[in-house]
Amino acid sequence: MKHIISDQDLVEVNPMEPEGSINRTVPAAGGVLVASDVTFAYGSGPAVVKNVSLAVPEGAAIGIVGESGSGKSTLASLLVGMLTPTTGTITVGGRPWSSVRRRDPLRLAVQMVFQNPYTALNPRMTALRTVSEVYEACSGAAKAEASEHAREMLQRVGLTGLAIDKRPGEMSGGQCQRVGIARALAANPSVIVADEPTSALDVSVQAQILNLLSDLRQEQGIGLVLISHDLNVVSYLTDSAIVMRHGEVVEQGATDGLLNSPAHPYTRSLIDSVL
Amino acid sequence: MAVVAAEAPGLVPARRRRPRRLELRVGIGLIAAVILACVVIPIVNTTDPNALVAAPLQPPSAQHPFGTDTVGRDVFIRVFTAGRLDLALAALGVIVPLVTGTVIGTVIGASRSRTLDVVAMRFTDGLIAFPFMIVVLLIVLILGPEAQIPPLPPGAASVLAATWLVNWTTYARLARARTHVLRQEDFIAATGLLGYSRPRIVVRHLLPSVSPTTATFAVADTLGIVALIAALPFLGAGIQPPTPEWGSIMYEGRGVLSQAWWISLSTVGVVLVLGTGVMMVVDSLISNTRRARLT
């Protein structure tokens, strides 16, 4: 096992990972992904995320809810290291994102499932190629071996047969989202950040994708940060949640508690708007 | 918890079906007709394009479909022999800048170095701003009108050198702009999250998405190069006589246009057919690219 940080801080996770896949190690103590007092502003504009703190323990599922423009997607980009906080820190495996270089194995510990399943995939690559490339690039697998792993992974997310040789333009939104999930899983992450993963999909397909995320989380013990404006989705998949408004966390706690007895008027208004 | 149901595989919404490509097919047909004529006619009709075959300024006839020129050469065989050279020069004058410009622009666009971006783009802006004809004439002066790259005729070297020196800049600008747009796309963001190396991102993800844009421009640029080669004889540069070349044929016919319109207009007609075909292909490719981006 390739260790990312010192041996005494590490535990091995994901006993189900296939042989030859990418190794995953995360710190035993504290959250896998921890945001501490994070503030972010685009350029010299106003802060769109203000003093947000959260920790994603191993295998936990956390929901982030709020209306459009509340800073959810920006927070998602910060959590996966696509954006750098203006102030505060985000650590993965105990190390700040700023110290994790592109080729650092820890880079793979947090992956993302994007909102738009079509734009999330290279339009010129088949589903199989999209996923097999992860094994080639990240674990140095030979092409044939990478294809074999990719087939297994695509099968695991429910894509088999002719569908795996199709490009995004030839697939349905649900199929594309499954490929996006398979690509994220191929990196063997400790945490998946899913930014509105069902909002671009038909209602009938939404349930399939949610079931898939739920199954994979339970099977593989992967942490999940689910960004959504849909309270039903968050209540279905997560154990705890934070409610954001204007870039700030207005309320947080166990998901059931938040939905059944909200303390903040904004949370109540969100729940009322659904009902 | 089980996945509820499998989705219908291969279900493609109507809006993403391939549009009819009549315009593309007609355009390709016109281009192919000109290319085929330029290849086949000089093989079937073995008349030397520089041979004096009849009296000067004979109008079109069954024996000489495009008539004869000011010294009695067959314009028909000269026009289609000239087409071989013009099309070969246009292809060479486009392919090299297309490849170099696309790669340079994509690499600059993918780079996070602001300094590299500013320096490279100001350099290309300078080259673009410099009048292209002046560059060609300068190179003709430096290399001399007789400079030759075998098997191309004298004068071709300076035309190619000028296009290779300057033309890549337009492709680089296009490629850089497209790369900047692509960098905002989720699938490129995903490559960063997966820790892919920069060369892999450029070669496997950016270049395949950038090249349709620059290739579409290249098709239109081919016509521009044909026009440039045809324009150079009017400035005393370019392919040297008596080598048949569309520009030099039109230039020769210019002086006798009122008496022998067939010399210039037959050449113009062939270039028009080629140009119409090229523009139909370009329009079709652009609309297809737009559709592909919308879906």
Side-chain angles (χ1 to χ4, degrees), chain B residues 27-51:
Chain B
I28 289 173
L30 292 175
I31 296 169
V34 172
I35 293 173
L36 199 66
C38 292
V39 171
V40 171
I41 288 171
I43 295 172
V44 174
N45 185 340
T46 52
T47 308
D48 181 351
N50 293 324

PDB file of all heavy atoms in Angstrom, chain B residues 27-51:
ATOM      1  N   GLY B  27     -21.166  20.920 -51.547  1.00  0.00           N
ATOM      2  CA  GLY B  27     -19.875  21.610 -51.467  1.00  0.00           C
ATOM      3  C   GLY B  27     -18.716  20.671 -51.750  1.00  0.00           C
ATOM      4  O   GLY B  27     -17.815  20.988 -52.553  1.00  0.00           O
ATOM      5  N   ILE B  28     -18.751  19.503 -51.120  1.00  0.00           N
ATOM      6  CA  ILE B  28     -17.683  18.522 -51.350  1.00  0.00           C
ATOM      7  C   ILE B  28     -17.697  18.087 -52.822  1.00  0.00           C
ATOM      8  O   ILE B  28     -16.639  17.932 -53.444  1.00  0.00           O
ATOM      9  CB  ILE B  28     -17.848  17.307 -50.404  1.00  0.00           C
ATOM     10  CG1 ILE B  28     -17.521  17.725 -48.971  1.00  0.00           C
ATOM     11  CG2 ILE B  28     -16.943  16.146 -50.834  1.00  0.00           C
ATOM     12  CD1 ILE B  28     -17.803  16.661 -47.930  1.00  0.00           C
ATOM     13  N   GLY B  29     -18.899  17.961 -53.383  1.00  0.00           N
ATOM     14  CA  GLY B  29     -19.023  17.565 -54.788  1.00  0.00           C
ATOM     15  C   GLY B  29     -18.366  18.585 -55.716  1.00  0.00           C
ATOM     16  O   GLY B  29     -17.646  18.211 -56.652  1.00  0.00           O
ATOM     17  N   LEU B  30     -18.593  19.876 -55.460  1.00  0.00           N
ATOM     18  CA  LEU B  30     -18.009  20.925 -56.301  1.00  0.00           C
ATOM     19  C   LEU B  30     -16.475  20.921 -56.191  1.00  0.00           C
ATOM     20  O   LEU B  30     -15.765  21.017 -57.203  1.00  0.00           O
ATOM     21  CB  LEU B  30     -18.564  22.297 -55.903  1.00  0.00           C
ATOM     22  CG  LEU B  30     -20.049  22.546 -56.206  1.00  0.00           C
ATOM     23  CD1 LEU B  30     -20.500  23.897 -55.664  1.00  0.00           C
ATOM     24  CD2 LEU B  30     -20.299  22.486 -57.712  1.00  0.00           C
ATOM     25  N   ILE B  31     -15.980  20.805 -54.949  1.00  0.00           N
ATOM     26  CA  ILE B  31     -14.519  20.783 -54.748  1.00  0.00           C
ATOM     27  C   ILE B  31     -13.930  19.558 -55.450  1.00  0.00           C
ATOM     28  O   ILE B  31     -12.912  19.652 -56.153  1.00  0.00           O
ATOM     29  CB  ILE B  31     -14.168  20.760 -53.240  1.00  0.00           C
ATOM     30  CG1 ILE B  31     -14.639  22.049 -52.560  1.00  0.00           C
ATOM     31  CG2 ILE B  31     -12.664  20.585 -53.040  1.00  0.00           C
ATOM     32  CD1 ILE B  31     -14.580  22.001 -51.047  1.00  0.00           C
ATOM     33  N   ALA B  32     -14.600  18.418 -55.260  1.00  0.00           N
ATOM     34  CA  ALA B  32     -14.099  17.179 -55.867  1.00  0.00           C
ATOM     35  C   ALA B  32     -14.090  17.286 -57.392  1.00  0.00           C
ATOM     36  O   ALA B  32     -13.161  16.800 -58.052  1.00  0.00           O
ATOM     37  CB  ALA B  32     -14.959  15.998 -55.431  1.00  0.00           C
ATOM     38  N   ALA B  33     -15.113  17.949 -57.944  1.00  0.00           N
ATOM     39  CA  ALA B  33     -15.189  18.090 -59.408  1.00  0.00           C
ATOM     40  C   ALA B  33     -13.989  18.885 -59.925  1.00  0.00           C
ATOM     41  O   ALA B  33     -13.368  18.498 -60.934  1.00  0.00           O
ATOM     42  CB  ALA B  33     -16.495  18.773 -59.787  1.00  0.00           C
ATOM     43  N   VAL B  34     -13.645  19.980 -59.230  1.00  0.00           N
ATOM     44  CA  VAL B  34     -12.506  20.807 -59.669  1.00  0.00           C
ATOM     45  C   VAL B  34     -11.200  20.016 -59.528  1.00  0.00           C
ATOM     46  O   VAL B  34     -10.366  19.997 -60.443  1.00  0.00           O
ATOM     47  CB  VAL B  34     -12.447  22.124 -58.853  1.00  0.00           C
ATOM     48  CG1 VAL B  34     -11.163  22.894 -59.177  1.00  0.00           C
ATOM     49  CG2 VAL B  34     -13.656  22.990 -59.152  1.00  0.00           C
ATOM     50  N   ILE B  35     -11.049  19.342 -58.379  1.00  0.00           N
ATOM     51  CA  ILE B  35      -9.809  18.576 -58.157  1.00  0.00           C
ATOM     52  C   ILE B  35      -9.682  17.464 -59.205  1.00  0.00           C
ATOM     53  O   ILE B  35      -8.618  17.272 -59.807  1.00  0.00           O
ATOM     54  CB  ILE B  35      -9.765  17.997 -56.726  1.00  0.00           C
ATOM     55  CG1 ILE B  35      -9.649  19.131 -55.697  1.00  0.00           C
ATOM     56  CG2 ILE B  35      -8.597  17.013 -56.566  1.00  0.00           C
ATOM     57  CD1 ILE B  35      -9.775  18.692 -54.258  1.00  0.00           C
ATOM     58  N   LEU B  36     -10.817  16.761 -59.419  1.00  0.00           N
ATOM     59  CA  LEU B  36     -10.805  15.659 -60.387  1.00  0.00           C
ATOM     60  C   LEU B  36     -10.449  16.167 -61.789  1.00  0.00           C
ATOM     61  O   LEU B  36      -9.637  15.552 -62.499  1.00  0.00           O
ATOM     62  CB  LEU B  36     -12.181  14.986 -60.406  1.00  0.00           C
ATOM     63  CG  LEU B  36     -12.234  13.583 -60.984  1.00  0.00           C
ATOM     64  CD1 LEU B  36     -11.465  12.613 -60.101  1.00  0.00           C
ATOM     65  CD2 LEU B  36     -13.687  13.116 -61.125  1.00  0.00           C
ATOM     66  N   ALA B  37     -11.040  17.295 -62.158  1.00  0.00           N
ATOM     67  CA  ALA B  37     -10.759  17.869 -63.482  1.00  0.00           C
ATOM     68  C   ALA B  37      -9.276  18.222 -63.604  1.00  0.00           C
ATOM     69  O   ALA B  37      -8.648  17.967 -64.649  1.00  0.00           O
ATOM     70  CB  ALA B  37     -11.626  19.103 -63.694  1.00  0.00           C
ATOM     71  N   CYS B  38      -8.717  18.802 -62.524  1.00  0.00           N
ATOM     72  CA  CYS B  38      -7.307  19.198 -62.559  1.00  0.00           C
ATOM     73  C   CYS B  38      -6.388  17.973 -62.636  1.00  0.00           C
ATOM     74  O   CYS B  38      -5.288  18.041 -63.200  1.00  0.00           O
ATOM     75  CB  CYS B  38      -6.942  20.030 -61.333  1.00  0.00           C
ATOM     76  SG  CYS B  38      -7.748  21.637 -61.321  1.00  0.00           S
ATOM     77  N   VAL B  39      -6.827  16.864 -62.069  1.00  0.00           N
ATOM     78  CA  VAL B  39      -5.998  15.650 -62.104  1.00  0.00           C
ATOM     79  C   VAL B  39      -6.153  14.931 -63.445  1.00  0.00           C
ATOM     80  O   VAL B  39      -5.166  14.550 -64.079  1.00  0.00           O
ATOM     81  CB  VAL B  39      -6.378  14.704 -60.923  1.00  0.00           C
ATOM     82  CG1 VAL B  39      -5.692  13.350 -61.073  1.00  0.00           C
ATOM     83  CG2 VAL B  39      -6.016  15.337 -59.593  1.00  0.00           C
ATOM     84  N   VAL B  40      -7.419  14.779 -63.894  1.00  0.00           N
ATOM     85  CA  VAL B  40      -7.699  13.907 -65.044  1.00  0.00           C
ATOM     86  C   VAL B  40      -7.430  14.595 -66.386  1.00  0.00           C
ATOM     87  O   VAL B  40      -6.817  13.992 -67.284  1.00  0.00           O
ATOM     88  CB  VAL B  40      -9.165  13.404 -64.969  1.00  0.00           C
ATOM     89  CG1 VAL B  40      -9.553  12.677 -66.252  1.00  0.00           C
ATOM     90  CG2 VAL B  40      -9.326  12.497 -63.766  1.00  0.00           C
ATOM     91  N   ILE B  41      -7.874  15.839 -66.522  1.00  0.00           N
ATOM     92  CA  ILE B  41      -7.797  16.489 -67.850  1.00  0.00           C
ATOM     93  C   ILE B  41      -6.367  16.530 -68.401  1.00  0.00           C
ATOM     94  O   ILE B  41      -6.143  16.150 -69.558  1.00  0.00           O
ATOM     95  CB  ILE B  41      -8.465  17.883 -67.796  1.00  0.00           C
ATOM     96  CG1 ILE B  41      -9.984  17.680 -67.701  1.00  0.00           C
ATOM     97  CG2 ILE B  41      -8.122  18.725 -69.038  1.00  0.00           C
ATOM     98  CD1 ILE B  41     -10.776  18.938 -67.421  1.00  0.00           C
ATOM     99  N   PRO B  42      -5.363  16.928 -67.610  1.00  0.00           N
ATOM    100  CA  PRO B  42      -4.002  16.930 -68.175  1.00  0.00           C
ATOM    101  C   PRO B  42      -3.495  15.515 -68.513  1.00  0.00           C
ATOM    102  O   PRO B  42      -2.550  15.381 -69.300  1.00  0.00           O
ATOM    103  CB  PRO B  42      -3.157  17.562 -67.066  1.00  0.00           C
ATOM    104  CG  PRO B  42      -4.123  18.364 -66.269  1.00  0.00           C
ATOM    105  CD  PRO B  42      -5.380  17.572 -66.286  1.00  0.00           C
ATOM    106  N   ILE B  43      -4.120  14.482 -67.907  1.00  0.00           N
ATOM    107  CA  ILE B  43      -3.711  13.105 -68.252  1.00  0.00           C
ATOM    108  C   ILE B  43      -4.363  12.687 -69.567  1.00  0.00           C
ATOM    109  O   ILE B  43      -3.716  12.135 -70.459  1.00  0.00           O
ATOM    110  CB  ILE B  43      -4.121  12.124 -67.112  1.00  0.00           C
ATOM    111  CG1 ILE B  43      -3.346  12.445 -65.836  1.00  0.00           C
ATOM    112  CG2 ILE B  43      -3.870  10.675 -67.536  1.00  0.00           C
ATOM    113  CD1 ILE B  43      -3.820  11.677 -64.608  1.00  0.00           C
ATOM    114  N   VAL B  44      -5.666  12.986 -69.696  1.00  0.00           N
ATOM    115  CA  VAL B  44      -6.414  12.595 -70.905  1.00  0.00           C
ATOM    116  C   VAL B  44      -5.958  13.431 -72.101  1.00  0.00           C
ATOM    117  O   VAL B  44      -5.718  12.914 -73.187  1.00  0.00           O
ATOM    118  CB  VAL B  44      -7.933  12.769 -70.660  1.00  0.00           C
ATOM    119  CG1 VAL B  44      -8.711  12.500 -71.948  1.00  0.00           C
ATOM    120  CG2 VAL B  44      -8.382  11.836 -69.554  1.00  0.00           C
ATOM    121  N   ASN B  45      -5.865  14.734 -71.896  1.00  0.00           N
ATOM    122  CA  ASN B  45      -5.450  15.644 -72.963  1.00  0.00           C
ATOM    123  C   ASN B  45      -3.958  15.931 -72.789  1.00  0.00           C
ATOM    124  O   ASN B  45      -3.564  16.665 -71.886  1.00  0.00           O
ATOM    125  CB  ASN B  45      -6.265  16.946 -72.876  1.00  0.00           C
ATOM    126  CG  ASN B  45      -5.981  17.890 -74.032  1.00  0.00           C
ATOM    127  OD1 ASN B  45      -4.939  17.764 -74.694  1.00  0.00           O
ATOM    128  ND2 ASN B  45      -6.888  18.817 -74.269  1.00  0.00           N
ATOM    129  N   THR B  46      -3.154  15.322 -73.619  1.00  0.00           N
ATOM    130  CA  THR B  46      -1.697  15.383 -73.402  1.00  0.00           C
ATOM    131  C   THR B  46      -1.044  16.607 -74.060  1.00  0.00           C
ATOM    132  O   THR B  46       0.184  16.673 -74.154  1.00  0.00           O
ATOM    133  CB  THR B  46      -1.027  14.107 -73.954  1.00  0.00           C
ATOM    134  OG1 THR B  46      -1.456  13.918 -75.300  1.00  0.00           O
ATOM    135  CG2 THR B  46      -1.393  12.888 -73.115  1.00  0.00           C
ATOM    136  N   THR B  47      -1.844  17.553 -74.462  1.00  0.00           N
ATOM    137  CA  THR B  47      -1.293  18.767 -75.070  1.00  0.00           C
ATOM    138  C   THR B  47      -0.387  19.484 -74.063  1.00  0.00           C
ATOM    139  O   THR B  47      -0.760  19.644 -72.898  1.00  0.00           O
ATOM    140  CB  THR B  47      -2.439  19.729 -75.479  1.00  0.00           C
ATOM    141  OG1 THR B  47      -3.365  19.000 -76.269  1.00  0.00           O
ATOM    142  CG2 THR B  47      -1.919  20.916 -76.258  1.00  0.00           C
ATOM    143  N   ASP B  48       0.786  19.916 -74.530  1.00  0.00           N
ATOM    144  CA  ASP B  48       1.689  20.686 -73.666  1.00  0.00           C
ATOM    145  C   ASP B  48       1.032  22.032 -73.367  1.00  0.00           C
ATOM    146  O   ASP B  48       0.651  22.754 -74.302  1.00  0.00           O
ATOM    147  CB  ASP B  48       3.027  20.889 -74.399  1.00  0.00           C
ATOM    148  CG  ASP B  48       4.035  21.668 -73.561  1.00  0.00           C
ATOM    149  OD1 ASP B  48       3.634  22.188 -72.497  1.00  0.00           O
ATOM    150  OD2 ASP B  48       5.204  21.756 -73.972  1.00  0.00           O
ATOM    151  N   PRO B  49       0.864  22.397 -72.082  1.00  0.00           N
ATOM    152  CA  PRO B  49       0.188  23.665 -71.765  1.00  0.00           C
ATOM    153  C   PRO B  49       0.933  24.889 -72.303  1.00  0.00           C
ATOM    154  O   PRO B  49       0.342  25.973 -72.403  1.00  0.00           O
ATOM    155  CB  PRO B  49       0.138  23.668 -70.240  1.00  0.00           C
ATOM    156  CG  PRO B  49       1.141  22.689 -69.798  1.00  0.00           C
ATOM    157  CD  PRO B  49       1.267  21.663 -70.878  1.00  0.00           C
ATOM    158  N   ASN B  50       2.222  24.726 -72.629  1.00  0.00           N
ATOM    159  CA  ASN B  50       2.975  25.869 -73.158  1.00  0.00           C
ATOM    160  C   ASN B  50       3.112  25.820 -74.685  1.00  0.00           C
ATOM    161  O   ASN B  50       3.749  26.706 -75.270  1.00  0.00           O
ATOM    162  CB  ASN B  50       4.365  25.923 -72.526  1.00  0.00           C
ATOM    163  CG  ASN B  50       4.286  26.248 -71.043  1.00  0.00           C
ATOM    164  OD1 ASN B  50       3.435  27.041 -70.622  1.00  0.00           O
ATOM    165  ND2 ASN B  50       5.135  25.618 -70.243  1.00  0.00           N
ATOM    166  N   ALA B  51       2.529  24.795 -75.317  1.00  0.00           N
ATOM    167  CA  ALA B  51       2.664  24.655 -76.772  1.00  0.00           C
ATOM    168  C   ALA B  51       1.748  25.645 -77.492  1.00  0.00           C
ATOM    169  O   ALA B  51       0.638  25.936 -77.019  1.00  0.00           O
ATOM    170  CB  ALA B  51       2.303  23.232 -77.182  1.00  0.00           C
TER     171      ALA B  51
END
